[in-house]
Amino acid sequence: MSIHPELLPFRDQFPTLELTSENLVQTRHELNRMTLETAAAIEGFDHVDVEDRQIDGPSSGQSLRLRLYSSGDPPGLRPCILWIHGGGYILGCPEMDEQLLCRKADELGCLVVAVDYRLAPEHPYPAALDDCDAALGWILDNASALGVDANTLVLGGASAGGGLAAALALRARDQRPGAIAFQCLIYPMLDHRTGTSAPAGAGEYWLWGVEHNCFAWEAYLGPNDLTYGVSPFASPATAKRLKGLPPTYLCIGDQDLFYEEEDIDYARRLRDSGVAVELEVVPGAPHGFDKLPAPLSEQSLQRRFKALSRHFSAQG
């Protein structure tokens, strides 16, 4: 199987990332500049309220930015999604998903809280996870003031954001039982071992290949003591016990580096552990495909929205 024909005309829209320690900061700044310009030009969501909140971060003196998206004034409590952006643990900001998050708030009638977590290598594991956990705690502590039904809380993210979501679900299972009702993992970056060797055809991956993955995991794990292995809260695929995790929707394209040995295997292990899993495999789809204006992408987004809607309806 190769890249789906619908996506081929958009190949030039995928940034060519050359990641090195020397150019990372500049690459990050340039991508953020492009992201903010694109977010500012989004049309059709003037009725969606978007605001930034600053909360206390988990480190002393740290301020953590949350970006909130909401639409309308519901008569009762509304559902809530805690969303974590991608970027390989080293790039990105909440605005990179601005249009999608506005659309979720609008079509699902939910509050979306996106967390601007700290990035590696300046802030290696567990900084990003701690920030996401702080955002989760803030939502739970302020559920009444936010007008949200904490019993429906969804934890979601794409790529590294999906990896952080999976890691936070594991931590919440152990430390905040029952806090997460559902997890939505979009081509999640779950396994540091994927970056240790190049599988056949590795050079054909769009956007995120083996070299990117190896560089990003090295930055994220950084100075951590790996003598006794990598923590499952850093690399969720290494978790030996998945029982007790919330129902899961997982989407992955079959042209993605994370496809078979990482995401499909994680979905299988979740099911074997008694976790309800809705797995969507998108034929011909590479990493980040859902950001492209193609029918294949829209169909996948519709399935994702339906899964979230079913969850909210079942919990309502």
Side-chain angles (χ1 to χ4, degrees), residues 85-135:
H85 70 79
Y89 303 103
I90 57 176
L91 302 166
C93 59
E95 286 85 352
M96 68 190 296
D97 298 316
E98 189 96 340
Q99 182 163 349
L100 175 61
L101 301 184
C102 284
R103 183 175 170 184
K104 283 182 177 177
D106 184 31
E107 295 187 20
L108 296 172
C110 63
L111 173 69
V112 181
V113 179
V115 55
D116 192 10
Y117 58 86
R118 290 170 291 173
L119 301 173
E122 297 91 335
H123 304 282
Y125 169 82
L129 181 60
D130 288 345
D131 287 352
C132 296
D133 194 21

mmCIF file of all heavy atoms in Angstrom, residues 85-135:
data_model
loop_
_atom_site.group_PDB
_atom_site.id
_atom_site.type_symbol
_atom_site.label_atom_id
_atom_site.label_comp_id
_atom_site.label_asym_id
_atom_site.label_seq_id
_atom_site.Cartn_x
_atom_site.Cartn_y
_atom_site.Cartn_z
ATOM 1 N N HIS A 85 -1.341 18.985 22.350
ATOM 2 C CA HIS A 85 -0.837 19.120 20.979
ATOM 3 C C HIS A 85 0.359 18.203 20.726
ATOM 4 O O HIS A 85 1.037 17.738 21.638
ATOM 5 C CB HIS A 85 -0.465 20.577 20.685
ATOM 6 C CG HIS A 85 0.749 21.075 21.418
ATOM 7 N ND1 HIS A 85 2.039 20.778 21.025
ATOM 8 C CD2 HIS A 85 0.890 21.861 22.516
ATOM 9 C CE1 HIS A 85 2.908 21.348 21.833
ATOM 10 N NE2 HIS A 85 2.237 22.018 22.760
ATOM 11 N N GLY A 86 0.630 18.001 19.441
ATOM 12 C CA GLY A 86 1.775 17.200 19.038
ATOM 13 C C GLY A 86 3.024 18.039 18.833
ATOM 14 O O GLY A 86 3.094 19.188 19.245
ATOM 15 N N GLY A 87 4.011 17.413 18.190
ATOM 16 C CA GLY A 87 5.278 18.104 17.933
ATOM 17 C C GLY A 87 6.484 17.350 18.450
ATOM 18 O O GLY A 87 7.552 17.929 18.657
ATOM 19 N N GLY A 88 6.339 16.046 18.650
ATOM 20 C CA GLY A 88 7.491 15.230 19.021
ATOM 21 C C GLY A 88 8.083 15.540 20.385
ATOM 22 O O GLY A 88 9.253 15.254 20.627
ATOM 23 N N TYR A 89 7.307 16.142 21.267
ATOM 24 C CA TYR A 89 7.756 16.554 22.606
ATOM 25 C C TYR A 89 8.739 17.728 22.560
ATOM 26 O O TYR A 89 9.187 18.196 23.595
ATOM 27 C CB TYR A 89 8.415 15.396 23.379
ATOM 28 C CG TYR A 89 7.546 14.181 23.539
ATOM 29 C CD1 TYR A 89 7.749 13.039 22.752
ATOM 30 C CD2 TYR A 89 6.529 14.147 24.477
ATOM 31 C CE1 TYR A 89 6.951 11.920 22.892
ATOM 32 C CE2 TYR A 89 5.727 13.018 24.627
ATOM 33 C CZ TYR A 89 5.937 11.906 23.832
ATOM 34 O OH TYR A 89 5.144 10.795 23.978
ATOM 35 N N ILE A 90 9.048 18.211 21.350
ATOM 36 C CA ILE A 90 10.080 19.242 21.214
ATOM 37 C C ILE A 90 9.593 20.479 20.461
ATOM 38 O O ILE A 90 10.283 21.505 20.436
ATOM 39 C CB ILE A 90 11.336 18.690 20.493
ATOM 40 C CG1 ILE A 90 10.971 18.120 19.123
ATOM 41 C CG2 ILE A 90 12.021 17.634 21.356
ATOM 42 C CD1 ILE A 90 12.158 17.637 18.302
ATOM 43 N N LEU A 91 8.418 20.390 19.842
ATOM 44 C CA LEU A 91 7.887 21.469 19.008
ATOM 45 C C LEU A 91 6.414 21.692 19.338
ATOM 46 O O LEU A 91 5.764 20.851 19.953
ATOM 47 C CB LEU A 91 7.997 21.110 17.514
ATOM 48 C CG LEU A 91 9.378 20.794 16.938
ATOM 49 C CD1 LEU A 91 9.230 20.140 15.561
ATOM 50 C CD2 LEU A 91 10.223 22.056 16.833
ATOM 51 N N GLY A 92 5.881 22.831 18.875
ATOM 52 C CA GLY A 92 4.444 23.009 18.873
ATOM 53 C C GLY A 92 3.877 23.865 19.985
ATOM 54 O O GLY A 92 4.555 24.227 20.948
ATOM 55 N N CYS A 93 2.579 24.177 19.817
ATOM 56 C CA CYS A 93 1.814 24.965 20.776
ATOM 57 C C CYS A 93 0.342 24.669 20.525
ATOM 58 O O CYS A 93 -0.013 24.082 19.486
ATOM 59 C CB CYS A 93 2.107 26.463 20.602
ATOM 60 S SG CYS A 93 1.728 27.118 18.957
ATOM 61 N N PRO A 94 -0.555 25.043 21.442
ATOM 62 C CA PRO A 94 -1.981 24.711 21.256
ATOM 63 C C PRO A 94 -2.569 25.241 19.960
ATOM 64 O O PRO A 94 -3.452 24.607 19.365
ATOM 65 C CB PRO A 94 -2.645 25.367 22.478
ATOM 66 C CG PRO A 94 -1.590 25.368 23.520
ATOM 67 C CD PRO A 94 -0.307 25.628 22.770
ATOM 68 N N GLU A 95 -2.088 26.401 19.485
ATOM 69 C CA GLU A 95 -2.666 27.012 18.293
ATOM 70 C C GLU A 95 -2.479 26.170 17.034
ATOM 71 O O GLU A 95 -3.153 26.416 16.026
ATOM 72 C CB GLU A 95 -2.064 28.406 18.074
ATOM 73 C CG GLU A 95 -2.579 29.452 19.047
ATOM 74 C CD GLU A 95 -1.822 29.483 20.367
ATOM 75 O OE1 GLU A 95 -0.975 28.575 20.604
ATOM 76 O OE2 GLU A 95 -2.059 30.396 21.167
ATOM 77 N N MET A 96 -1.590 25.192 17.062
ATOM 78 C CA MET A 96 -1.406 24.357 15.877
ATOM 79 C C MET A 96 -2.662 23.546 15.555
ATOM 80 O O MET A 96 -2.850 23.100 14.420
ATOM 81 C CB MET A 96 -0.192 23.440 16.047
ATOM 82 C CG MET A 96 -0.330 22.363 17.090
ATOM 83 S SD MET A 96 1.248 21.516 17.430
ATOM 84 C CE MET A 96 1.586 20.749 15.846
ATOM 85 N N ASP A 97 -3.553 23.379 16.538
ATOM 86 C CA ASP A 97 -4.808 22.652 16.337
ATOM 87 C C ASP A 97 -6.020 23.582 16.423
ATOM 88 O O ASP A 97 -7.143 23.124 16.657
ATOM 89 C CB ASP A 97 -4.945 21.538 17.379
ATOM 90 C CG ASP A 97 -3.834 20.504 17.284
ATOM 91 O OD1 ASP A 97 -3.505 20.104 16.150
ATOM 92 O OD2 ASP A 97 -3.283 20.111 18.330
ATOM 93 N N GLU A 98 -5.805 24.877 16.239
ATOM 94 C CA GLU A 98 -6.845 25.877 16.496
ATOM 95 C C GLU A 98 -8.156 25.586 15.774
ATOM 96 O O GLU A 98 -9.226 25.597 16.372
ATOM 97 C CB GLU A 98 -6.330 27.258 16.099
ATOM 98 C CG GLU A 98 -7.230 28.394 16.514
ATOM 99 C CD GLU A 98 -6.822 29.043 17.834
ATOM 100 O OE1 GLU A 98 -6.098 28.386 18.610
ATOM 101 O OE2 GLU A 98 -7.239 30.171 18.087
ATOM 102 N N GLN A 99 -8.091 25.325 14.484
ATOM 103 C CA GLN A 99 -9.328 25.117 13.732
ATOM 104 C C GLN A 99 -10.053 23.865 14.208
ATOM 105 O O GLN A 99 -11.277 23.882 14.400
ATOM 106 C CB GLN A 99 -9.044 25.015 12.234
ATOM 107 C CG GLN A 99 -10.313 24.852 11.401
ATOM 108 C CD GLN A 99 -10.085 25.162 9.941
ATOM 109 O OE1 GLN A 99 -9.054 25.684 9.551
ATOM 110 N NE2 GLN A 99 -11.071 24.867 9.111
ATOM 111 N N LEU A 100 -9.323 22.797 14.421
ATOM 112 C CA LEU A 100 -9.932 21.557 14.888
ATOM 113 C C LEU A 100 -10.571 21.730 16.265
ATOM 114 O O LEU A 100 -11.667 21.235 16.525
ATOM 115 C CB LEU A 100 -8.874 20.449 14.941
ATOM 116 C CG LEU A 100 -9.336 19.106 15.524
ATOM 117 C CD1 LEU A 100 -10.462 18.511 14.685
ATOM 118 C CD2 LEU A 100 -8.166 18.140 15.628
ATOM 119 N N LEU A 101 -9.919 22.476 17.147
ATOM 120 C CA LEU A 101 -10.438 22.647 18.495
ATOM 121 C C LEU A 101 -11.650 23.567 18.513
ATOM 122 O O LEU A 101 -12.594 23.346 19.279
ATOM 123 C CB LEU A 101 -9.335 23.150 19.428
ATOM 124 C CG LEU A 101 -8.115 22.227 19.527
ATOM 125 C CD1 LEU A 101 -7.124 22.747 20.553
ATOM 126 C CD2 LEU A 101 -8.516 20.795 19.846
ATOM 127 N N CYS A 102 -11.636 24.604 17.664
ATOM 128 C CA CYS A 102 -12.831 25.427 17.513
ATOM 129 C C CYS A 102 -13.997 24.578 17.005
ATOM 130 O O CYS A 102 -15.144 24.707 17.478
ATOM 131 C CB CYS A 102 -12.569 26.566 16.531
ATOM 132 S SG CYS A 102 -11.572 27.928 17.183
ATOM 133 N N ARG A 103 -13.707 23.727 16.070
ATOM 134 C CA ARG A 103 -14.752 22.869 15.498
ATOM 135 C C ARG A 103 -15.290 21.884 16.536
ATOM 136 O O ARG A 103 -16.500 21.648 16.607
ATOM 137 C CB ARG A 103 -14.177 22.128 14.289
ATOM 138 C CG ARG A 103 -15.176 21.263 13.569
ATOM 139 C CD ARG A 103 -14.581 20.667 12.314
ATOM 140 N NE ARG A 103 -15.462 19.658 11.759
ATOM 141 C CZ ARG A 103 -15.180 18.905 10.700
ATOM 142 N NH1 ARG A 103 -14.024 19.098 10.055
ATOM 143 N NH2 ARG A 103 -16.034 17.997 10.261
ATOM 144 N N LYS A 104 -14.413 21.326 17.351
ATOM 145 C CA LYS A 104 -14.882 20.415 18.400
ATOM 146 C C LYS A 104 -15.786 21.132 19.383
ATOM 147 O O LYS A 104 -16.848 20.619 19.762
ATOM 148 C CB LYS A 104 -13.672 19.811 19.137
ATOM 149 C CG LYS A 104 -12.970 18.708 18.382
ATOM 150 C CD LYS A 104 -11.826 18.128 19.198
ATOM 151 C CE LYS A 104 -11.182 16.962 18.448
ATOM 152 N NZ LYS A 104 -10.023 16.414 19.167
ATOM 153 N N ALA A 105 -15.376 22.318 19.816
ATOM 154 C CA ALA A 105 -16.195 23.074 20.754
ATOM 155 C C ALA A 105 -17.557 23.390 20.141
ATOM 156 O O ALA A 105 -18.597 23.322 20.815
ATOM 157 C CB ALA A 105 -15.473 24.355 21.156
ATOM 158 N N ASP A 106 -17.559 23.726 18.852
ATOM 159 C CA ASP A 106 -18.781 24.118 18.167
ATOM 160 C C ASP A 106 -19.709 22.927 17.933
ATOM 161 O O ASP A 106 -20.880 22.950 18.310
ATOM 162 C CB ASP A 106 -18.403 24.779 16.840
ATOM 163 C CG ASP A 106 -19.605 25.325 16.090
ATOM 164 O OD1 ASP A 106 -20.584 25.742 16.746
ATOM 165 O OD2 ASP A 106 -19.571 25.343 14.852
ATOM 166 N N GLU A 107 -19.172 21.875 17.315
ATOM 167 C CA GLU A 107 -20.025 20.755 16.902
ATOM 168 C C GLU A 107 -20.387 19.821 18.049
ATOM 169 O O GLU A 107 -21.461 19.202 18.033
ATOM 170 C CB GLU A 107 -19.337 19.968 15.782
ATOM 171 C CG GLU A 107 -19.161 20.775 14.502
ATOM 172 C CD GLU A 107 -18.628 19.938 13.345
ATOM 173 O OE1 GLU A 107 -18.752 18.689 13.404
ATOM 174 O OE2 GLU A 107 -18.100 20.525 12.391
ATOM 175 N N LEU A 108 -19.534 19.716 19.034
ATOM 176 C CA LEU A 108 -19.791 18.795 20.144
ATOM 177 C C LEU A 108 -20.357 19.505 21.372
ATOM 178 O O LEU A 108 -20.756 18.844 22.337
ATOM 179 C CB LEU A 108 -18.509 18.055 20.527
ATOM 180 C CG LEU A 108 -17.930 17.137 19.446
ATOM 181 C CD1 LEU A 108 -16.561 16.614 19.866
ATOM 182 C CD2 LEU A 108 -18.874 15.975 19.159
ATOM 183 N N GLY A 109 -20.384 20.830 21.343
ATOM 184 C CA GLY A 109 -20.919 21.574 22.475
ATOM 185 C C GLY A 109 -20.140 21.370 23.754
ATOM 186 O O GLY A 109 -20.701 21.378 24.853
ATOM 187 N N CYS A 110 -18.846 21.218 23.620
ATOM 188 C CA CYS A 110 -18.005 20.936 24.785
ATOM 189 C C CYS A 110 -17.034 22.074 25.039
ATOM 190 O O CYS A 110 -16.833 22.956 24.196
ATOM 191 C CB CYS A 110 -17.237 19.632 24.585
ATOM 192 S SG CYS A 110 -16.078 19.665 23.197
ATOM 193 N N LEU A 111 -16.441 22.049 26.202
ATOM 194 C CA LEU A 111 -15.318 22.922 26.507
ATOM 195 C C LEU A 111 -14.044 22.164 26.173
ATOM 196 O O LEU A 111 -13.877 21.008 26.589
ATOM 197 C CB LEU A 111 -15.316 23.306 27.984
ATOM 198 C CG LEU A 111 -14.087 24.085 28.471
ATOM 199 C CD1 LEU A 111 -14.060 25.484 27.874
ATOM 200 C CD2 LEU A 111 -14.049 24.149 30.001
ATOM 201 N N VAL A 112 -13.165 22.788 25.403
ATOM 202 C CA VAL A 112 -11.863 22.195 25.100
ATOM 203 C C VAL A 112 -10.803 22.995 25.839
ATOM 204 O O VAL A 112 -10.758 24.224 25.726
ATOM 205 C CB VAL A 112 -11.568 22.197 23.588
ATOM 206 C CG1 VAL A 112 -10.203 21.548 23.322
ATOM 207 C CG2 VAL A 112 -12.657 21.467 22.817
ATOM 208 N N VAL A 113 -9.978 22.308 26.582
ATOM 209 C CA VAL A 113 -8.862 22.930 27.284
ATOM 210 C C VAL A 113 -7.578 22.369 26.690
ATOM 211 O O VAL A 113 -7.323 21.162 26.776
ATOM 212 C CB VAL A 113 -8.917 22.654 28.806
ATOM 213 C CG1 VAL A 113 -7.717 23.298 29.500
ATOM 214 C CG2 VAL A 113 -10.226 23.167 29.400
ATOM 215 N N ALA A 114 -6.791 23.233 26.047
ATOM 216 C CA ALA A 114 -5.525 22.817 25.438
ATOM 217 C C ALA A 114 -4.378 23.358 26.274
ATOM 218 O O ALA A 114 -4.382 24.525 26.666
ATOM 219 C CB ALA A 114 -5.427 23.329 24.006
ATOM 220 N N VAL A 115 -3.404 22.523 26.535
ATOM 221 C CA VAL A 115 -2.323 22.880 27.459
ATOM 222 C C VAL A 115 -1.034 23.192 26.697
ATOM 223 O O VAL A 115 -0.617 22.438 25.816
ATOM 224 C CB VAL A 115 -2.107 21.757 28.504
ATOM 225 C CG1 VAL A 115 -1.850 20.423 27.837
ATOM 226 C CG2 VAL A 115 -0.963 22.108 29.448
ATOM 227 N N ASP A 116 -0.420 24.313 27.031
ATOM 228 C CA ASP A 116 0.834 24.746 26.417
ATOM 229 C C ASP A 116 1.989 24.246 27.290
ATOM 230 O O ASP A 116 2.614 25.005 28.025
ATOM 231 C CB ASP A 116 0.855 26.265 26.305
ATOM 232 C CG ASP A 116 1.984 26.791 25.419
ATOM 233 O OD1 ASP A 116 2.626 25.959 24.746
ATOM 234 O OD2 ASP A 116 2.218 28.005 25.416
ATOM 235 N N TYR A 117 2.264 22.964 27.200
ATOM 236 C CA TYR A 117 3.240 22.320 28.078
ATOM 237 C C TYR A 117 4.680 22.665 27.689
ATOM 238 O O TYR A 117 4.969 23.076 26.571
ATOM 239 C CB TYR A 117 3.027 20.806 28.069
ATOM 240 C CG TYR A 117 3.123 20.149 26.705
ATOM 241 C CD1 TYR A 117 4.349 19.742 26.180
ATOM 242 C CD2 TYR A 117 1.977 19.915 25.934
ATOM 243 C CE1 TYR A 117 4.438 19.130 24.942
ATOM 244 C CE2 TYR A 117 2.055 19.311 24.689
ATOM 245 C CZ TYR A 117 3.283 18.925 24.194
ATOM 246 O OH TYR A 117 3.383 18.330 22.960
ATOM 247 N N ARG A 118 5.580 22.479 28.640
ATOM 248 C CA ARG A 118 6.996 22.746 28.393
ATOM 249 C C ARG A 118 7.595 21.697 27.451
ATOM 250 O O ARG A 118 7.176 20.541 27.456
ATOM 251 C CB ARG A 118 7.760 22.759 29.727
ATOM 252 C CG ARG A 118 7.439 23.953 30.608
ATOM 253 C CD ARG A 118 8.023 23.785 32.003
ATOM 254 N NE ARG A 118 7.346 22.723 32.745
ATOM 255 C CZ ARG A 118 7.737 22.266 33.936
ATOM 256 N NH1 ARG A 118 8.831 22.751 34.497
ATOM 257 N NH2 ARG A 118 7.054 21.312 34.539
ATOM 258 N N LEU A 119 8.567 22.140 26.663
ATOM 259 C CA LEU A 119 9.143 21.296 25.621
ATOM 260 C C LEU A 119 10.560 20.860 25.958
ATOM 261 O O LEU A 119 11.316 21.571 26.620
ATOM 262 C CB LEU A 119 9.151 22.058 24.293
ATOM 263 C CG LEU A 119 7.782 22.535 23.771
ATOM 264 C CD1 LEU A 119 7.974 23.410 22.533
ATOM 265 C CD2 LEU A 119 6.871 21.358 23.464
ATOM 266 N N ALA A 120 10.916 19.687 25.460
ATOM 267 C CA ALA A 120 12.284 19.185 25.539
ATOM 268 C C ALA A 120 13.086 19.787 24.381
ATOM 269 O O ALA A 120 12.508 20.207 23.371
ATOM 270 C CB ALA A 120 12.265 17.664 25.463
ATOM 271 N N PRO A 121 14.409 19.814 24.492
ATOM 272 C CA PRO A 121 15.248 19.259 25.562
ATOM 273 C C PRO A 121 15.442 20.192 26.750
ATOM 274 O O PRO A 121 15.993 19.775 27.754
ATOM 275 C CB PRO A 121 16.582 19.014 24.853
ATOM 276 C CG PRO A 121 16.641 20.115 23.832
ATOM 277 C CD PRO A 121 15.229 20.303 23.360
ATOM 278 N N GLU A 122 14.979 21.447 26.628
ATOM 279 C CA GLU A 122 15.127 22.368 27.751
ATOM 280 C C GLU A 122 14.413 21.840 28.993
ATOM 281 O O GLU A 122 14.863 22.046 30.120
ATOM 282 C CB GLU A 122 14.579 23.755 27.382
ATOM 283 C CG GLU A 122 15.320 24.442 26.249
ATOM 284 C CD GLU A 122 14.698 24.129 24.894
ATOM 285 O OE1 GLU A 122 14.035 23.068 24.754
ATOM 286 O OE2 GLU A 122 14.883 24.920 23.970
ATOM 287 N N HIS A 123 13.289 21.157 28.742
ATOM 288 C CA HIS A 123 12.486 20.601 29.836
ATOM 289 C C HIS A 123 12.181 19.139 29.516
ATOM 290 O O HIS A 123 11.125 18.825 28.964
ATOM 291 C CB HIS A 123 11.188 21.396 30.003
ATOM 292 C CG HIS A 123 11.406 22.862 30.228
ATOM 293 N ND1 HIS A 123 11.791 23.371 31.444
ATOM 294 C CD2 HIS A 123 11.306 23.923 29.379
ATOM 295 C CE1 HIS A 123 11.901 24.688 31.351
ATOM 296 N NE2 HIS A 123 11.630 25.044 30.118
ATOM 297 N N PRO A 124 13.099 18.235 29.823
ATOM 298 C CA PRO A 124 12.891 16.820 29.499
ATOM 299 C C PRO A 124 11.836 16.186 30.400
ATOM 300 O O PRO A 124 11.331 16.815 31.338
ATOM 301 C CB PRO A 124 14.271 16.210 29.742
ATOM 302 C CG PRO A 124 14.899 17.097 30.776
ATOM 303 C CD PRO A 124 14.399 18.480 30.475
ATOM 304 N N TYR A 125 11.506 14.921 30.089
ATOM 305 C CA TYR A 125 10.581 14.167 30.922
ATOM 306 C C TYR A 125 11.020 14.263 32.381
ATOM 307 O O TYR A 125 12.205 14.163 32.673
ATOM 308 C CB TYR A 125 10.564 12.695 30.477
ATOM 309 C CG TYR A 125 9.848 11.785 31.446
ATOM 310 C CD1 TYR A 125 8.464 11.686 31.418
ATOM 311 C CD2 TYR A 125 10.557 11.058 32.411
ATOM 312 C CE1 TYR A 125 7.807 10.874 32.332
ATOM 313 C CE2 TYR A 125 9.907 10.254 33.318
ATOM 314 C CZ TYR A 125 8.527 10.168 33.278
ATOM 315 O OH TYR A 125 7.873 9.366 34.174
ATOM 316 N N PRO A 126 10.070 14.514 33.317
ATOM 317 C CA PRO A 126 8.605 14.473 33.173
ATOM 318 C C PRO A 126 7.935 15.834 33.074
ATOM 319 O O PRO A 126 6.745 15.961 33.403
ATOM 320 C CB PRO A 126 8.191 13.774 34.460
ATOM 321 C CG PRO A 126 9.156 14.323 35.483
ATOM 322 C CD PRO A 126 10.467 14.501 34.748
ATOM 323 N N ALA A 127 8.633 16.893 32.635
ATOM 324 C CA ALA A 127 8.068 18.244 32.673
ATOM 325 C C ALA A 127 6.750 18.337 31.907
ATOM 326 O O ALA A 127 5.756 18.870 32.421
ATOM 327 C CB ALA A 127 9.086 19.246 32.120
ATOM 328 N N ALA A 128 6.717 17.838 30.665
ATOM 329 C CA ALA A 128 5.502 17.943 29.859
ATOM 330 C C ALA A 128 4.353 17.183 30.511
ATOM 331 O O ALA A 128 3.208 17.675 30.568
ATOM 332 C CB ALA A 128 5.753 17.416 28.454
ATOM 333 N N LEU A 129 4.635 15.983 30.999
ATOM 334 C CA LEU A 129 3.597 15.188 31.645
ATOM 335 C C LEU A 129 3.098 15.868 32.917
ATOM 336 O O LEU A 129 1.894 15.897 33.194
ATOM 337 C CB LEU A 129 4.127 13.791 31.966
ATOM 338 C CG LEU A 129 3.136 12.829 32.630
ATOM 339 C CD1 LEU A 129 1.923 12.594 31.735
ATOM 340 C CD2 LEU A 129 3.814 11.509 32.960
ATOM 341 N N ASP A 130 3.992 16.447 33.683
ATOM 342 C CA ASP A 130 3.596 17.162 34.897
ATOM 343 C C ASP A 130 2.699 18.348 34.555
ATOM 344 O O ASP A 130 1.732 18.635 35.274
ATOM 345 C CB ASP A 130 4.827 17.646 35.662
ATOM 346 C CG ASP A 130 5.585 16.514 36.341
ATOM 347 O OD1 ASP A 130 5.034 15.405 36.460
ATOM 348 O OD2 ASP A 130 6.748 16.744 36.730
ATOM 349 N N ASP A 131 3.021 19.053 33.464
ATOM 350 C CA ASP A 131 2.194 20.181 33.053
ATOM 351 C C ASP A 131 0.787 19.718 32.661
ATOM 352 O O ASP A 131 -0.215 20.349 33.020
ATOM 353 C CB ASP A 131 2.836 20.909 31.874
ATOM 354 C CG ASP A 131 4.059 21.724 32.273
ATOM 355 O OD1 ASP A 131 4.329 21.848 33.487
ATOM 356 O OD2 ASP A 131 4.747 22.226 31.364
ATOM 357 N N CYS A 132 0.714 18.625 31.910
ATOM 358 C CA CYS A 132 -0.591 18.093 31.499
ATOM 359 C C CYS A 132 -1.381 17.620 32.715
ATOM 360 O O CYS A 132 -2.614 17.803 32.785
ATOM 361 C CB CYS A 132 -0.406 16.969 30.491
ATOM 362 S SG CYS A 132 0.337 17.499 28.932
ATOM 363 N N ASP A 133 -0.694 17.041 33.689
ATOM 364 C CA ASP A 133 -1.343 16.606 34.924
ATOM 365 C C ASP A 133 -1.866 17.816 35.702
ATOM 366 O O ASP A 133 -2.951 17.768 36.297
ATOM 367 C CB ASP A 133 -0.347 15.809 35.765
ATOM 368 C CG ASP A 133 -1.016 15.034 36.885
ATOM 369 O OD1 ASP A 133 -2.230 14.781 36.810
ATOM 370 O OD2 ASP A 133 -0.316 14.678 37.850
ATOM 371 N N ALA A 134 -1.098 18.914 35.688
ATOM 372 C CA ALA A 134 -1.545 20.136 36.356
ATOM 373 C C ALA A 134 -2.804 20.680 35.686
ATOM 374 O O ALA A 134 -3.729 21.168 36.363
ATOM 375 C CB ALA A 134 -0.433 21.181 36.343
ATOM 376 N N ALA A 135 -2.864 20.603 34.357
ATOM 377 C CA ALA A 135 -4.058 21.045 33.636
ATOM 378 C C ALA A 135 -5.255 20.173 33.997
ATOM 379 O O ALA A 135 -6.376 20.679 34.199
ATOM 380 C CB ALA A 135 -3.801 21.011 32.132
#
